[in-house]
Amino acid sequence: IITCIECILIGTIIMGVKAAKHIPKFDKDCIIILGCQIRKDGTLTKLLQGRVDRAIEFGKMQKEKTGKDIIFVPSGGKGNDEVISEAQAMKNYLINQGIKEENILAEDKSKNTYENIKFSNNIINNKIKNAKIAFSTTNYHVFRAGNIASSQNISIEGIGAKTKSYFWINAFIREFIATLFAEKKKHILIICCIIAVSILMIAFQYLANII
């Protein structure tokens, strides 16, 4: 069981690092910005600002490479301790950074990553048919967010904003636990199978010694 968990951890680390360094293709119609906690005054925390800045950077790279503009989709509802929605806070920041309001589609109802992606995808599909979508989040969160999108059969590529190395380690451990929990039924089944096989092996060995 320990070996199984170690293999899952190693695989998650490899895929997490690969996802964090991934740059989506420059053919996107929209980029979703996954929300997180904002400050008490309605401004962005450094973590959330990094996600928005990374989305802006990708939009500029795509424009330079292909000439294609991108629509920004800031996603995040209003928490009980927040003065405005995370989407509105990000929209305000985007406008201050020179992004035109007509190039912003805010999604302000979601409460978690699953809803961020689901609700934003619905808004995009109502606006653009067969849209090609990217999402921007913090580097340690790209892999799990991509898995959440895949679980909804949504084709999407992620890009990660950098964060402090000391914070990345703690955050990655939290993401690993969340990833395990997301597929807990599968992991419980695997562990039960390992235990069952081990019991059978012990039983056969015991019977062989008796005979």
Side-chain angles (χ1 to χ4, degrees), residues 5-21 139-140 143 147 168-169 172-173 175-176 179:
I5 293 173
E6 287 176 344
C7 289
I8 295 171
L9 175 60
I10 292 169
T12 303
I13 291 172
I14 293 171
M15 295 306 298
V17 171
K18 184 177 179 180
K21 293 183 176 182
N139 50 15
Y140 61 78
F143 178 60
N147 284 337
W168 195 94
I169 296 171
F172 181 81
I173 293 172
E175 290 292 304
F176 171 67
T179 301

Side-chain angles (χ1 to χ4, degrees), residues 131-146:
K132 294 182 178 179
I133 308 170
F135 70 85
S136 176
T137 187
T138 314
N139 50 15
Y140 61 78
H141 188 232
V142 176
F143 178 60
R144 187 164 71 90

